[in-house]
Amino acid sequence: MEYFKSVLIFLFAGLCEIGGGYLVWLWYKESKSVIYLIAGGLILALYGVVAALQSSSFGRVYATYGGFFIVMSLLWAWKMDGFQPDRYDIIGSLIALFGVAVIYYTPR
């Protein structure tokens, strides 16, 4: 159950960081309303709180989150921007996920 909870927290943190960053990106790059900037900033702040819900140490949490971020960023770009991941994006993502599994989920 603890494993499932931590994965959900990583996924929610990823949505907050990527979604918030995307709103800021739209404000800056596509001249969207300042509301995008404000909403993006608030969601990015929420990301910091969500990440702190993990039970491990800061360094291990943020290192593991990096692997989740890689995969989620590519999925976001694929769905939101029409980016087409290639085989090397997929291979790299799988390597990152394997690495974070070793970092975060290996018994100590």
Coordinates of all heavy atoms in Angstrom, one line a residue, residues 9-87:
I9 N 1.6 10.0 -5.2 CA 2.1 11.3 -4.8 C 3.1 11.8 -5.9 O 3.0 13.0 -6.3 CB 2.8 11.3 -3.4 CG1 1.7 11.0 -2.3 CG2 3.6 12.6 -3.1 CD1 2.3 10.7 -0.9
F10 N 3.9 10.9 -6.4 CA 4.9 11.3 -7.5 C 4.1 11.8 -8.7 O 4.4 12.8 -9.3 CB 5.8 10.2 -7.8 CG 7.0 10.0 -6.9 CD1 7.2 8.8 -6.3 CD2 7.8 11.1 -6.6 CE1 8.3 8.6 -5.4 CE2 8.9 10.9 -5.7 CZ 9.1 9.7 -5.1
L11 N 3.0 11.1 -9.0 CA 2.2 11.4 -10.2 C 1.5 12.8 -10.0 O 1.5 13.6 -10.9 CB 1.2 10.3 -10.5 CG 1.8 9.0 -11.0 CD1 0.7 8.0 -11.2 CD2 2.6 9.2 -12.3
F12 N 1.0 13.0 -8.8 CA 0.3 14.3 -8.5 C 1.3 15.4 -8.5 O 1.0 16.5 -9.1 CB -0.5 14.2 -7.2 CG -1.3 15.4 -6.9 CD1 -2.2 15.9 -7.9 CD2 -1.2 16.0 -5.7 CE1 -2.9 17.0 -7.6 CE2 -2.0 17.1 -5.4 CZ -2.9 17.7 -6.4
A13 N 2.5 15.2 -8.0 CA 3.5 16.2 -8.0 C 3.9 16.5 -9.4 O 4.1 17.7 -9.8 CB 4.7 15.7 -7.2
G14 N 4.0 15.5 -10.2 CA 4.4 15.7 -11.6 C 3.3 16.6 -12.4 O 3.7 17.5 -13.1
L15 N 2.1 16.2 -12.1 CA 1.0 17.0 -12.8 C 1.1 18.5 -12.3 O 0.9 19.4 -13.1 CB -0.4 16.4 -12.4 CG -0.7 15.1 -13.2 CD1 -2.0 14.6 -12.7 CD2 -0.7 15.3 -14.7
C16 N 1.4 18.7 -11.0 CA 1.4 20.1 -10.6 C 2.6 20.8 -11.2 O 2.5 22.0 -11.7 CB 1.6 20.1 -9.0 SG 0.1 19.6 -8.1
E17 N 3.8 20.2 -11.2 CA 5.0 20.9 -11.7 C 4.9 21.1 -13.3 O 5.1 22.2 -13.8 CB 6.3 20.2 -11.4 CG 7.4 21.0 -11.9 CD 8.8 20.4 -11.6 OE1 8.9 19.2 -11.1 OE2 9.8 21.1 -11.7
I18 N 4.5 20.0 -14.0 CA 4.4 20.2 -15.4 C 3.2 21.1 -15.8 O 3.4 21.9 -16.7 CB 4.3 18.8 -16.1 CG1 5.6 18.0 -15.8 CG2 4.1 18.9 -17.6 CD1 5.5 16.5 -16.0
G19 N 2.1 20.9 -15.2 CA 0.9 21.7 -15.5 C 1.2 23.2 -15.2 O 0.9 24.1 -16.0
G20 N 1.7 23.4 -14.0 CA 2.0 24.8 -13.6 C 3.1 25.4 -14.5 O 2.9 26.6 -15.0
G21 N 4.1 24.7 -14.8 CA 5.1 25.2 -15.8 C 4.6 25.4 -17.1 O 5.0 26.4 -17.8
Y22 N 3.7 24.6 -17.6 CA 3.1 24.7 -18.9 C 2.2 26.0 -19.0 O 2.3 26.7 -20.0 CB 2.2 23.5 -19.2 CG 1.7 23.5 -20.6 CD1 2.6 23.3 -21.7 CD2 0.3 23.6 -20.9 CE1 2.1 23.2 -23.0 CE2 -0.1 23.5 -22.2 CZ 0.7 23.3 -23.2 OH 0.3 23.3 -24.5
L23 N 1.5 26.3 -17.9 CA 0.7 27.6 -17.9 C 1.7 28.8 -17.9 O 1.4 29.8 -18.7 CB -0.1 27.6 -16.6 CG -1.3 26.6 -16.6 CD1 -2.0 26.7 -15.3 CD2 -2.3 26.9 -17.8
V24 N 2.8 28.8 -17.2 CA 3.7 29.9 -17.3 C 4.3 29.9 -18.7 O 4.5 31.0 -19.2 CB 4.8 29.7 -16.2 CG1 5.9 30.7 -16.4 CG2 4.3 29.8 -14.8
W25 N 4.6 28.8 -19.3 CA 5.1 28.7 -20.6 C 4.2 29.4 -21.6 O 4.6 30.2 -22.4 CB 5.4 27.3 -21.0 CG 5.8 27.0 -22.4 CD1 5.1 27.0 -23.5 CD2 7.2 26.8 -22.8 NE1 5.8 26.7 -24.6 CE2 7.1 26.6 -24.2 CE3 8.4 26.7 -22.2 CZ2 8.3 26.3 -25.0 CZ3 9.5 26.5 -22.9 CH2 9.5 26.3 -24.3
L26 N 2.9 29.1 -21.5 CA 1.9 29.6 -22.4 C 1.8 31.1 -22.2 O 1.7 31.9 -23.2 CB 0.5 29.0 -22.1 CG 0.4 27.5 -22.6 CD1 -1.0 27.0 -22.1 CD2 0.6 27.4 -24.1
W27 N 1.9 31.6 -21.0 CA 1.8 33.1 -20.7 C 3.0 33.7 -21.4 O 2.8 34.7 -22.1 CB 1.8 33.3 -19.2 CG 2.1 34.8 -18.9 CD1 1.3 35.8 -19.0 CD2 3.4 35.3 -18.5 NE1 2.0 37.0 -18.6 CE2 3.3 36.7 -18.3 CE3 4.6 34.7 -18.2 CZ2 4.3 37.5 -17.9 CZ3 5.7 35.5 -17.8 CH2 5.5 36.9 -17.6
Y28 N 4.2 33.2 -21.2 CA 5.4 33.8 -21.7 C 5.6 33.6 -23.2 O 5.8 34.6 -24.0 CB 6.6 33.3 -21.0 CG 7.9 34.0 -21.4 CD1 8.2 35.2 -20.9 CD2 8.8 33.4 -22.2 CE1 9.3 35.9 -21.2 CE2 10.0 34.0 -22.6 CZ 10.2 35.3 -22.1 OH 11.4 35.9 -22.4
K29 N 5.4 32.4 -23.7 CA 5.7 32.1 -25.1 C 4.6 32.4 -26.1 O 4.8 32.7 -27.2 CB 6.1 30.6 -25.3 CG 7.4 30.2 -24.6 CD 8.5 30.7 -25.4 CE 9.8 30.0 -25.0 NZ 10.9 30.3 -25.8
E30 N 3.3 32.3 -25.6 CA 2.2 32.5 -26.5 C 1.3 33.7 -26.1 O 0.2 33.9 -26.5 CB 1.4 31.2 -26.5 CG 2.2 30.1 -27.1 CD 1.4 28.8 -27.3 OE1 0.1 28.9 -27.2 OE2 2.0 27.8 -27.4
S31 N 1.9 34.6 -25.2 CA 1.2 35.8 -24.8 C -0.2 35.6 -24.3 O -1.1 36.4 -24.5 CB 1.2 36.8 -26.0 OG 2.5 37.1 -26.4
K32 N -0.3 34.6 -23.5 CA -1.6 34.4 -22.8 C -1.8 35.4 -21.7 O -0.9 36.0 -21.3 CB -1.7 32.9 -22.3 CG -1.6 31.9 -23.4 CD -2.9 31.8 -24.2 CE -2.9 30.6 -25.2 NZ -4.0 30.6 -26.0
S33 N -3.0 35.4 -21.2 CA -3.4 36.3 -20.1 C -2.5 36.1 -18.9 O -2.0 35.0 -18.6 CB -4.8 36.1 -19.7 OG -5.1 36.7 -18.5
V34 N -2.3 37.2 -18.1 CA -1.6 37.1 -16.8 C -2.2 36.1 -15.9 O -1.5 35.6 -15.0 CB -1.4 38.5 -16.2 CG1 -2.7 39.0 -15.6 CG2 -0.3 38.5 -15.2
I35 N -3.4 35.7 -16.1 CA -4.1 34.7 -15.3 C -3.3 33.4 -15.4 O -3.2 32.6 -14.4 CB -5.6 34.5 -15.7 CG1 -6.3 35.8 -15.5 CG2 -6.2 33.4 -15.0 CD1 -6.4 36.3 -14.1
Y36 N -2.8 33.1 -16.6 CA -2.0 31.9 -16.8 C -0.8 31.9 -15.9 O -0.4 30.9 -15.3 CB -1.6 31.7 -18.3 CG -2.7 31.2 -19.2 CD1 -3.8 32.0 -19.5 CD2 -2.6 30.0 -19.8 CE1 -4.8 31.6 -20.3 CE2 -3.6 29.5 -20.6 CZ -4.7 30.3 -20.9 OH -5.7 29.9 -21.7
L37 N -0.1 33.0 -15.8 CA 1.1 33.2 -15.0 C 0.7 32.9 -13.5 O 1.4 32.2 -12.8 CB 1.7 34.5 -15.2 CG 2.8 34.9 -14.3 CD1 4.0 34.0 -14.5 CD2 3.2 36.4 -14.4
I38 N -0.3 33.6 -13.1 CA -0.7 33.5 -11.6 C -1.1 32.0 -11.3 O -0.7 31.5 -10.3 CB -1.8 34.5 -11.3 CG1 -1.3 35.9 -11.5 CG2 -2.4 34.2 -9.9 CD1 -2.4 37.0 -11.5
A39 N -2.0 31.5 -12.2 CA -2.4 30.1 -11.9 C -1.2 29.1 -12.0 O -1.1 28.2 -11.1 CB -3.5 29.7 -12.9
G40 N -0.3 29.3 -12.9 CA 0.8 28.5 -13.0 C 1.7 28.6 -11.8 O 2.2 27.6 -11.3
G41 N 1.9 29.8 -11.3 CA 2.7 30.0 -10.1 C 2.1 29.3 -8.9 O 2.8 28.7 -8.1
L42 N 0.8 29.4 -8.7 CA 0.2 28.8 -7.6 C 0.3 27.3 -7.7 O 0.5 26.6 -6.7 CB -1.3 29.2 -7.5 CG -1.6 30.7 -7.2 CD1 -3.0 31.0 -7.3 CD2 -1.1 30.9 -5.7
I43 N 0.1 26.7 -8.9 CA 0.2 25.3 -9.1 C 1.6 24.8 -8.8 O 1.8 23.7 -8.2 CB -0.3 24.9 -10.4 CG1 -1.9 25.2 -10.5 CG2 -0.1 23.4 -10.7 CD1 -2.4 25.0 -11.9
L44 N 2.6 25.6 -9.3 CA 4.0 25.2 -9.0 C 4.3 25.3 -7.5 O 5.0 24.4 -7.0 CB 4.9 26.2 -9.7 CG 5.0 25.9 -11.2 CD1 5.7 27.1 -11.9 CD2 5.8 24.6 -11.5
A45 N 3.7 26.2 -6.8 CA 3.9 26.2 -5.3 C 3.2 25.0 -4.7 O 3.8 24.4 -3.7 CB 3.3 27.5 -4.7
L46 N 2.1 24.6 -5.2 CA 1.4 23.3 -4.7 C 2.3 22.1 -4.9 O 2.4 21.2 -4.1 CB 0.1 23.2 -5.4 CG -0.7 21.9 -5.0 CD1 -1.1 21.9 -3.5 CD2 -2.0 21.8 -5.9
Y47 N 3.0 22.1 -6.0 CA 4.0 21.0 -6.3 C 4.9 20.8 -5.1 O 5.2 19.7 -4.7 CB 4.7 21.3 -7.6 CG 6.1 20.6 -7.6 CD1 6.2 19.3 -7.8 CD2 7.3 21.4 -7.5 CE1 7.5 18.7 -7.8 CE2 8.5 20.8 -7.5 CZ 8.6 19.4 -7.7 OH 9.8 18.9 -7.7
G48 N 5.5 21.9 -4.6 CA 6.4 21.8 -3.5 C 5.8 21.2 -2.3 O 6.5 20.4 -1.6
V49 N 4.6 21.5 -2.0 CA 3.9 20.9 -0.9 C 3.6 19.4 -1.1 O 3.8 18.6 -0.3 CB 2.5 21.7 -0.6 CG1 1.7 21.0 0.5 CG2 2.8 23.1 -0.2
V50 N 3.1 19.1 -2.3 CA 2.8 17.7 -2.6 C 4.0 16.8 -2.5 O 4.0 15.7 -1.9 CB 2.2 17.6 -4.0 CG1 2.0 16.1 -4.5 CG2 0.8 18.3 -4.0
A51 N 5.2 17.3 -3.1 CA 6.4 16.5 -3.0 C 6.8 16.2 -1.6 O 7.4 15.2 -1.2 CB 7.5 17.2 -3.8
A52 N 6.5 17.2 -0.7 CA 6.9 17.0 0.7 C 6.0 15.9 1.5 O 6.4 15.6 2.6 CB 6.8 18.4 1.5
L53 N 5.0 15.5 0.8 CA 4.2 14.4 1.4 C 4.8 13.0 1.4 O 4.4 12.1 2.1 CB 2.8 14.3 0.7 CG 1.9 15.6 0.8 CD1 0.7 15.4 -0.1 CD2 1.5 15.9 2.2
Q54 N 5.9 12.9 0.7 CA 6.6 11.6 0.6 C 7.3 11.3 2.0 O 7.6 12.2 2.7 CB 7.7 11.6 -0.5 CG 7.1 11.7 -1.9 CD 6.4 10.4 -2.3 OE1 6.3 9.5 -1.6 NE2 6.0 10.4 -3.6
S55 N 7.4 10.1 2.2 CA 8.0 9.7 3.6 C 9.5 9.6 3.6 O 10.0 9.5 4.7 CB 7.4 8.3 4.0 OG 7.7 7.3 3.0
S56 N 10.2 9.7 2.5 CA 11.6 9.5 2.5 C 12.3 10.9 2.6 O 11.7 11.9 2.8 CB 12.1 8.8 1.2 OG 13.4 8.5 1.3
S57 N 13.6 10.9 2.6 CA 14.4 12.1 2.7 C 14.3 13.0 1.4 O 14.0 12.5 0.3 CB 15.9 11.8 2.9 OG 16.4 11.2 1.7
F58 N 14.6 14.3 1.6 CA 14.5 15.2 0.5 C 15.3 14.8 -0.8 O 14.7 14.7 -1.9 CB 15.0 16.6 0.9 CG 15.0 17.6 -0.2 CD1 13.9 18.4 -0.4 CD2 16.2 17.9 -0.9 CE1 13.9 19.3 -1.4 CE2 16.2 18.8 -1.9 CZ 15.0 19.5 -2.2
G59 N 16.5 14.4 -0.6 CA 17.4 14.0 -1.7 C 16.8 12.8 -2.5 O 16.8 12.8 -3.7
R60 N 16.4 11.8 -1.7 CA 15.9 10.6 -2.4 C 14.6 10.9 -3.1 O 14.3 10.4 -4.2 CB 15.8 9.5 -1.3 CG 15.5 8.1 -2.0 CD 15.7 7.0 -1.0 NE 17.1 6.8 -0.7 CZ 17.6 6.7 0.5 NH1 16.8 6.6 1.5 NH2 18.9 6.5 0.7
V61 N 13.7 11.7 -2.5 CA 12.4 12.0 -3.1 C 12.7 12.8 -4.4 O 12.1 12.5 -5.4 CB 11.6 12.8 -2.1 CG1 10.4 13.5 -2.8 CG2 11.1 11.9 -1.0
Y62 N 13.5 13.8 -4.4 CA 13.7 14.6 -5.5 C 14.5 13.9 -6.6 O 14.2 14.1 -7.8 CB 14.4 15.9 -5.2 CG 13.3 16.9 -4.8 CD1 12.7 16.9 -3.5 CD2 12.8 17.9 -5.6 CE1 11.7 17.7 -3.1 CE2 11.8 18.8 -5.3 CZ 11.3 18.7 -4.0 OH 10.3 19.5 -3.6
A63 N 15.4 13.0 -6.3 CA 16.0 12.2 -7.3 C 15.0 11.2 -8.0 O 15.0 11.1 -9.2 CB 17.2 11.4 -6.6
T64 N 14.2 10.6 -7.2 CA 13.2 9.7 -7.7 C 12.2 10.5 -8.5 O 11.8 10.0 -9.6 CB 12.5 9.0 -6.6 OG1 13.5 8.3 -5.8 CG2 11.5 8.0 -7.1
Y65 N 11.8 11.6 -8.1 CA 10.8 12.4 -8.8 C 11.3 12.8 -10.2 O 10.6 12.8 -11.2 CB 10.4 13.7 -8.0 CG 9.6 14.6 -8.9 CD1 8.3 14.3 -9.3 CD2 10.2 15.8 -9.5 CE1 7.6 15.1 -10.1 CE2 9.5 16.6 -10.3 CZ 8.2 16.2 -10.6 OH 7.4 17.0 -11.5
G66 N 12.7 12.9 -10.3 CA 13.3 13.3 -11.6 C 12.9 12.2 -12.7 O 12.7 12.6 -13.8
G67 N 12.9 11.0 -12.3 CA 12.6 9.9 -13.2 C 11.1 10.0 -13.7 O 10.8 9.8 -14.8
F68 N 10.3 10.2 -12.7 CA 8.8 10.4 -13.0 C 8.6 11.6 -13.9 O 7.8 11.6 -14.8 CB 8.0 10.6 -11.7 CG 7.7 9.3 -11.0 CD1 8.6 8.7 -10.1 CD2 6.5 8.6 -11.2 CE1 8.3 7.5 -9.5 CE2 6.2 7.5 -10.6 CZ 7.1 6.9 -9.7
F69 N 9.4 12.7 -13.6 CA 9.3 13.9 -14.4 C 9.6 13.7 -15.9 O 9.0 14.2 -16.8 CB 10.1 15.0 -13.8 CG 10.0 16.3 -14.5 CD1 9.0 17.2 -14.2 CD2 11.0 16.7 -15.4 CE1 8.9 18.4 -14.9 CE2 10.9 17.9 -16.1 CZ 9.8 18.8 -15.8
I70 N 10.7 12.9 -16.1 CA 11.1 12.6 -17.5 C 10.0 12.0 -18.2 O 9.6 12.4 -19.3 CB 12.3 11.7 -17.5 CG1 13.6 12.4 -17.0 CG2 12.6 11.1 -18.9 CD1 14.8 11.6 -16.7
V71 N 9.4 10.9 -17.7 CA 8.3 10.2 -18.3 C 7.1 11.1 -18.5 O 6.5 11.1 -19.6 CB 8.0 8.9 -17.6 CG1 6.7 8.2 -18.2 CG2 9.2 7.9 -17.5
M72 N 6.7 11.7 -17.5 CA 5.5 12.6 -17.5 C 5.6 13.7 -18.5 O 4.7 14.1 -19.2 CB 5.1 13.0 -16.1 CG 4.6 11.9 -15.2 SD 4.2 12.4 -13.6 CE 2.7 13.3 -13.9
S73 N 6.8 14.3 -18.6 CA 7.1 15.4 -19.5 C 6.9 15.0 -20.9 O 6.3 15.7 -21.8 CB 8.5 16.0 -19.3 OG 8.6 16.6 -18.0
L74 N 7.5 13.8 -21.3 CA 7.3 13.3 -22.6 C 5.8 13.0 -22.9 O 5.3 13.3 -24.0 CB 8.2 12.1 -22.8 CG 9.7 12.3 -22.8 CD1 10.4 11.0 -22.8 CD2 10.1 13.2 -24.0
L75 N 5.1 12.4 -22.0 CA 3.7 12.1 -22.2 C 2.9 13.4 -22.3 O 2.0 13.5 -23.2 CB 3.2 11.3 -21.0 CG 3.6 9.8 -20.9 CD1 3.2 9.2 -19.6 CD2 3.1 9.0 -22.1
W76 N 3.2 14.4 -21.5 CA 2.5 15.7 -21.6 C 2.7 16.3 -23.0 O 1.8 16.8 -23.6 CB 3.0 16.6 -20.5 CG 2.3 18.0 -20.5 CD1 2.5 19.0 -21.3 CD2 1.3 18.3 -19.6 NE1 1.6 20.0 -21.0 CE2 0.9 19.6 -19.9 CE3 0.6 17.7 -18.5 CZ2 -0.1 20.3 -19.2 CZ3 -0.4 18.4 -17.8 CH2 -0.7 19.7 -18.2
A77 N 4.0 16.4 -23.4 CA 4.3 16.9 -24.7 C 3.6 16.2 -25.9 O 3.2 16.8 -26.8 CB 5.8 17.0 -24.9
W78 N 3.5 14.9 -25.7 CA 2.9 14.0 -26.7 C 1.4 14.4 -26.8 O 0.9 14.6 -27.9 CB 3.1 12.6 -26.4 CG 2.5 11.6 -27.3 CD1 2.4 11.6 -28.6 CD2 1.9 10.3 -26.9 NE1 1.8 10.5 -29.1 CE2 1.5 9.7 -28.1 CE3 1.8 9.6 -25.7 CZ2 0.9 8.4 -28.1 CZ3 1.2 8.4 -25.7 CH2 0.7 7.8 -26.8
K79 N 0.7 14.5 -25.7 CA -0.7 14.7 -25.7 C -1.1 16.2 -25.9 O -2.1 16.5 -26.5 CB -1.3 14.2 -24.3 CG -1.3 12.8 -24.2 CD -2.1 12.1 -25.3 CE -2.2 10.6 -25.2 NZ -2.9 10.1 -26.4
M80 N -0.3 17.1 -25.4 CA -0.6 18.5 -25.4 C 0.0 19.3 -26.6 O -0.6 20.3 -27.1 CB -0.2 19.2 -24.1 CG -0.8 18.7 -22.8 SD -2.6 18.8 -22.8 CE -2.8 20.5 -22.4
D81 N 1.1 18.9 -27.1 CA 1.8 19.6 -28.1 C 2.0 18.8 -29.4 O 2.6 19.3 -30.3 CB 3.2 20.1 -27.6 CG 3.1 21.2 -26.6 OD1 2.1 22.0 -26.7 OD2 4.0 21.4 -25.8
G82 N 1.6 17.6 -29.4 CA 1.8 16.8 -30.6 C 3.2 16.3 -30.8 O 3.5 15.8 -31.9
F83 N 4.0 16.4 -29.8 CA 5.4 15.8 -29.8 C 5.3 14.3 -30.0 O 4.6 13.7 -29.3 CB 6.1 16.2 -28.5 CG 7.4 15.6 -28.3 CD1 8.6 16.0 -29.0 CD2 7.6 14.5 -27.5 CE1 9.8 15.4 -28.8 CE2 8.8 13.9 -27.3 CZ 9.9 14.4 -27.9
Q84 N 6.1 13.8 -30.8 CA 6.2 12.3 -31.1 C 7.4 11.7 -30.5 O 8.5 11.9 -31.1 CB 6.1 12.0 -32.6 CG 6.0 10.6 -32.9 CD 4.7 10.0 -32.4 OE1 3.6 10.6 -32.5 NE2 4.7 8.8 -31.7
P85 N 7.3 11.1 -29.3 CA 8.5 10.5 -28.7 C 9.1 9.4 -29.7 O 8.3 8.6 -30.3 CB 8.0 9.8 -27.4 CG 6.7 10.4 -27.2 CD 6.1 10.9 -28.5
D86 N 10.4 9.3 -29.8 CA 11.0 8.3 -30.6 C 11.5 7.1 -29.7 O 11.3 7.2 -28.5 CB 12.1 8.8 -31.5 CG 13.2 9.4 -30.7 OD1 13.5 9.0 -29.6 OD2 14.0 10.2 -31.3
R87 N 12.1 6.1 -30.3 CA 12.5 4.9 -29.5 C 13.5 5.3 -28.5 O 13.5 4.7 -27.4 CB 13.0 3.8 -30.4 CG 14.4 4.1 -30.9 CD 14.8 2.9 -31.8 NE 14.8 3.4 -33.2 CZ 15.1 2.7 -34.2 NH1 15.4 1.5 -34.1 NH2 15.1 3.3 -35.4

